[in-house]
Amino acid sequence: MSESITVRVPAKVNVQLAVGAARPDGFHGLANVFLAVGLYDDVTVTPADGLRVTCSGPDAAQVPLDASNLAARAAAVLAERHGIAPDVHIHIAKDIPVAGGMAGGSADAAGALLACDALWATGATREELLAICAELGSDVPFSLVGGAALGVGRGEQLTPVEVGGTFHWVFAVADGGLSTPAVYREFDRLTAGTQVPEPTASAALMEALRAGDPVALAAALSNDLQAPALSLRPSLAGTLAAGTAAGALAALVSGSGPTTAFLTEDEASARKVADALTASGTCRTARIAASPAPGATLR
Ligand code: C5P
């Protein structure tokens, strides 16, 4: 009998995504406040002949299963660093929207990394795992740590943020994904010829998170990728309006989209907004989730 290890990993929403000018390396400087939300992928690793990825769930067909899969890359990088053959079957039970701006691919990478680390008993330190995460993608370190954090640099340099309560969200999943690089390129196009300010974390936002106050958080939410995401996908304006009309405290695009996020007063209100969004016909499906959620966790 071969042993299997499963790690549960959360999705995220950016409660602030302040984007600076493009850097010489092509990345953008960020003040990125991540909040992990209770929608999860389960990543299971099992010893195998060679490296193989499978995926299950309603959107599994949209997940690449070749070497470009970020979970496969995570396993390959860890194996190489420790002189181990990456002989592992990675199965992703996917519940996080695919290419939706909720860091589903990053979550799978962090999950595969933690699971393979346990399977192979590499003894890697937390710092080493976080460094591998940063190498894999700007959002991957946060998927490992979860909770809430401010990410600076390209978003990978994290400082934990205190959250004093539970926030209730609705996520409206759109048909089809949006490419993150394409949304950043649209940001560059829309801001060309302007002085893009240095991104800084909002003090009002930090205070709202610390207080656990949804009304204050609603007033402080911001996402500089919202305008470029709406420019590429104008129909998202209708989804945002439908959620606001249904009683959400605030509506914004999640990360680079096209998932839209709605902050609500409480769980009952979240259910009402989710039902109204589903009935509105402006999204494929609406999910409710609470935050903060823990980071990658062995099951
Ligand atoms: O780091 P990650 O691979 O997730 O980034 C995907 C793409 O998003 C990058 O290739 C880049 O085009 C864009 N990006 C950016 N600035 C960031 C993070 C991502 O321009 N801080």
Side-chain angles (χ1 to χ4, degrees), residues 26-30 106 134 136-139 153-155 180-182 184-185:
F27 285 90
H28 294 71
L30 303 179
S106 300
L136 292 165
S138 308
D139 290 351
R154 59 185 168 86
T180 301
Y184 275 101
R185 275 198 302 276

Coordinates of all heavy atoms in Angstrom, one line a residue, residues 26-30 106 134 136-139 153-155 180-182 184-185, ligand 1:
G26 N 9.7 43.8 -15.7 CA 8.4 43.6 -16.3 C 7.3 43.4 -15.2 O 6.2 43.6 -15.5
F27 N 7.7 43.1 -14.0 CA 6.7 43.0 -12.9 C 6.4 44.4 -12.4 O 7.1 45.4 -12.7 CB 7.3 42.2 -11.7 CG 7.3 40.7 -12.0 CD1 8.4 40.1 -12.6 CD2 6.2 39.9 -11.7 CE1 8.4 38.7 -12.9 CE2 6.2 38.6 -12.0 CZ 7.3 38.0 -12.5
H28 N 5.3 44.5 -11.7 CA 4.8 45.8 -11.1 C 5.0 45.8 -9.6 O 4.7 44.8 -9.0 CB 3.4 46.0 -11.5 CG 3.1 46.2 -12.9 ND1 3.2 45.1 -13.8 CD2 2.8 47.3 -13.7 CE1 2.9 45.6 -15.0 NE2 2.7 46.8 -15.0
G29 N 5.5 46.9 -9.1 CA 5.6 47.0 -7.6 C 4.2 47.1 -7.1 O 3.3 47.7 -7.7
L30 N 3.9 46.4 -6.0 CA 2.6 46.3 -5.4 C 2.5 46.7 -3.9 O 3.5 46.5 -3.2 CB 2.0 44.9 -5.5 CG 2.0 44.2 -6.9 CD1 1.4 42.8 -6.8 CD2 1.1 45.0 -7.9
S106 N -1.9 29.2 -7.8 CA -0.9 29.4 -6.8 C -1.2 28.5 -5.5 O -0.3 28.0 -4.9 CB -0.9 30.9 -6.3 OG -0.6 31.7 -7.4
A134 N 8.1 31.8 -3.7 CA 8.3 33.1 -4.4 C 8.8 32.9 -5.8 O 8.5 33.6 -6.7 CB 9.2 33.9 -3.6
L136 N 8.1 30.4 -7.7 CA 7.1 29.8 -8.5 C 6.1 30.9 -9.0 O 5.5 30.7 -10.1 CB 6.3 28.7 -7.8 CG 7.1 27.4 -7.5 CD1 6.5 26.6 -6.4 CD2 7.3 26.6 -8.8
G137 N 5.8 31.9 -8.2 CA 4.9 32.9 -8.6 C 4.6 33.9 -7.5 O 4.8 33.6 -6.3
S138 N 4.2 35.1 -7.8 CA 4.1 36.2 -6.8 C 3.1 35.9 -5.7 O 3.2 36.4 -4.6 CB 3.7 37.5 -7.6 OG 4.6 37.8 -8.6
D139 N 2.0 35.2 -6.1 CA 1.0 34.9 -5.1 C 1.1 33.6 -4.3 O 0.4 33.3 -3.4 CB -0.4 34.8 -5.8 CG -0.9 36.1 -6.4 OD1 -0.3 37.2 -6.0 OD2 -1.9 36.1 -7.1
G153 N 7.0 44.4 -2.9 CA 7.8 43.9 -4.0 C 6.8 43.6 -5.1 O 5.9 44.3 -5.5
R154 N 6.9 42.3 -5.7 CA 5.9 42.0 -6.7 C 4.8 41.2 -6.0 O 3.9 40.6 -6.7 CB 6.5 41.1 -7.8 CG 7.2 39.9 -7.4 CD 7.9 39.2 -8.6 NE 8.8 38.1 -8.1 CZ 8.4 36.9 -7.9 NH1 7.1 36.5 -8.1 NH2 9.3 36.0 -7.5
G155 N 4.7 41.3 -4.7 CA 3.6 40.8 -3.9 C 4.1 39.6 -3.1 O 3.3 39.0 -2.3
T180 N -3.7 37.0 -16.4 CA -3.1 38.0 -15.5 C -2.2 38.9 -16.2 O -2.3 40.1 -16.1 CB -2.5 37.3 -14.3 OG1 -3.5 36.5 -13.6 CG2 -1.9 38.3 -13.3
P181 N -1.2 38.3 -17.0 CA -0.3 39.2 -17.8 C -1.1 40.2 -18.7 O -0.7 41.4 -18.8 CB 0.6 38.3 -18.6 CG 0.5 37.0 -17.9 CD -0.8 36.9 -17.2
A182 N -2.2 39.7 -19.3 CA -3.0 40.6 -20.2 C -3.6 41.7 -19.4 O -3.7 42.9 -19.9 CB -4.0 39.8 -20.9
Y184 N -2.4 43.1 -16.6 CA -1.3 44.0 -16.3 C -0.9 44.8 -17.5 O -0.7 46.1 -17.4 CB -0.1 43.3 -15.7 CG -0.2 43.1 -14.2 CD1 -0.5 41.8 -13.7 CD2 0.1 44.1 -13.3 CE1 -0.6 41.6 -12.3 CE2 0.0 43.9 -11.9 CZ -0.3 42.6 -11.5 OH -0.4 42.4 -10.1
R185 N -0.9 44.2 -18.7 CA -0.6 45.0 -19.9 C -1.7 46.0 -20.2 O -1.4 47.2 -20.6 CB -0.6 44.0 -21.1 CG 0.8 43.3 -21.3 CD 1.0 42.8 -22.7 NE 0.0 41.8 -23.0 CZ 0.0 40.5 -22.7 NH1 1.0 40.0 -22.0 NH2 -1.0 39.7 -23.1
Ligands
C5P1 O1 4.2 36.0 -10.5 P1 3.2 35.4 -11.4 O2 3.8 34.4 -12.3 O3 2.0 35.0 -10.8 O4 2.8 36.6 -12.4 C1 2.1 36.4 -13.6 C2 2.2 37.6 -14.5 O5 1.5 38.7 -13.9 C3 3.6 38.1 -14.7 O6 4.2 37.5 -15.7 C4 3.4 39.6 -15.0 O7 3.0 39.8 -16.3 C5 2.2 39.9 -14.1 N1 2.6 40.5 -12.8 C6 3.1 41.8 -12.7 N2 3.5 42.3 -11.5 C7 3.3 41.6 -10.4 C8 2.8 40.3 -10.4 C9 2.4 39.8 -11.6 O8 3.2 42.5 -13.8 N3 3.6 42.2 -9.2

